[in-house]
Amino acid sequence: MSRRYDTVIFDLDGTLLTTDKILTERTKKALEAAADQGVILVPATGRPLCGLPKELLELPFIKYAVTANGARILETK
């Protein structure tokens, strides 16, 4: 089966994170499954890079981020 997407860009607050700003284990597993299929995963936020949750940046497959409301596109590693 071929994958449908090469890249998925996702918001953090109220989308990837819970209302308590937590990255759940279920969400981590879903991200890992997508990354295992070769999907490039990119968080997008109004925050600066230092405002991204540490547990998100520690995921080995998060290599890019869109920050500052789209004003910056960065390599995270």
Side-chain angles (χ1 to χ4, degrees):
M1 173 193 244
S2 64
R3 65 180 192 264
R4 290 186 62 192
Y5 303 101
D6 292 323
T7 305
V8 174
I9 301 172
F10 48 86
D11 182 46
L12 297 181
D13 298 319
T15 305
L16 189 77
L17 305 175
T18 68
T19 54
D20 295 325
K21 311 289 189 233
I22 295 170
L23 180 64
T24 66
E25 208 48 49
R26 179 180 178 193
T27 301
K28 285 181 194 177
K29 288 181 181 181
L31 292 172
E32 286 175 5
D36 287 346
Q37 293 180 26
V39 177
I40 298 168
L41 299 165
V42 182
T45 183
R47 305 173 186 190
L49 182 63
C50 64
L52 270 70
K54 181 181 174 184
E55 60 269 354
L56 180 65
L57 292 175
E58 288 175 347
L59 296 172
F61 46 81
I62 300 295
K63 298 180 181 174
Y64 306 98
V66 177
T67 63
N69 288 324
R72 296 189 74 192
I73 301 172
L74 306 160
E75 285 189 65
T76 59
K77 306 291 184 223

